[in-house]
Amino acid sequence: GPVANGLAIARDADVITIARGGSLETRSASKPGETVETVPLRWSGSAPGAPIVAIDRSPSGSTAIVAADEQGQTYAIASADGTVSRLEGAPNWSFTPLVGWIDADHVLVLNQGADNTSRFFVVNSSDGSTETLGSVTDVRWFALSQDRLTVAVSKDAAVYIGHITALRGGEQ
């Protein structure tokens, strides 16, 4: 059923995470109607004025967050206790405000280059380093499998499915 004030949703194994304006709510996949925990978000610095539009919970319990509106996007990582820090190395302007943990440290996002072509971008949340994956371009949307080993990529006319290591390895 509807979740009042829910802005974005993610699932990792048995945990469903719902983003609200100032908190992350978790529920069990076996009892999705019951809230297990609500953690208030405490931003280091000021919270973005834009609404949260995408989240993804990592296997380690951190949550990647994207807040976006017409003026821009903010990428951040919320720890399990709700402390939120900006994601260093994240793009200034992403083609589509999506995030997906591919392992405990790496977040997959879409980046819009100066040529208006979307490319995958991997950000290391531990050290802020970035990796551009240029083998697949003009991506409109992506999704990761629950085990984070497979990626589905939507382009203008088709959807492609492949292993995340192939994508990172430069295969088309």
Side-chain angles (χ1 to χ4, degrees), residues 36-101:
V36 173
E37 181 180 26
T38 300
V39 176
L41 295 175
R42 295 184 315 281
W43 291 79
S44 56
S46 61
I52 295 172
V53 296
I55 61 172
D56 192 34
R57 185 179 172 100
S58 91
S60 65
S62 298
T63 302
I65 298 172
V66 184
D69 60 15
E70 297 79 29
Q71 279 69 51
Q73 298 160 7
T74 301
Y75 288 84
I77 304 294
S79 64
D81 71 357
T83 303
V84 184
S85 303
R86 306 267 172 158
L87 179 60
E88 298 299 321
N92 293 328
W93 188 257
S94 177
F95 188 82
T96 301
L98 288 174
V99 287
W101 288 96

Side-chain angles (χ1 to χ4, degrees), residues 3-8 18-25 27 35 38 41 52:
V3 176
N5 302 320
L7 300 172
I18 300 168
R20 298 182 183 276
S23 65
L24 294 174
E25 178 181 300
R27 298 177 180 206
T35 299
T38 300
L41 295 175
I52 295 172

Side-chain angles (χ1 to χ4, degrees), residues 75 98-102 106-110 120-123 133 142-144 151 164 167-168:
Y75 288 84
L98 288 174
V99 287
W101 288 96
I102 55 178
H106 297 92
V107 180
L108 184 67
V109 299
L110 287 177
F120 281 115
F121 200 73
V122 176
V123 181
L133 309 178
F142 74 88
L144 293 167
V151 61
I164 193 73
L167 178 67
R168 291 187 79 183

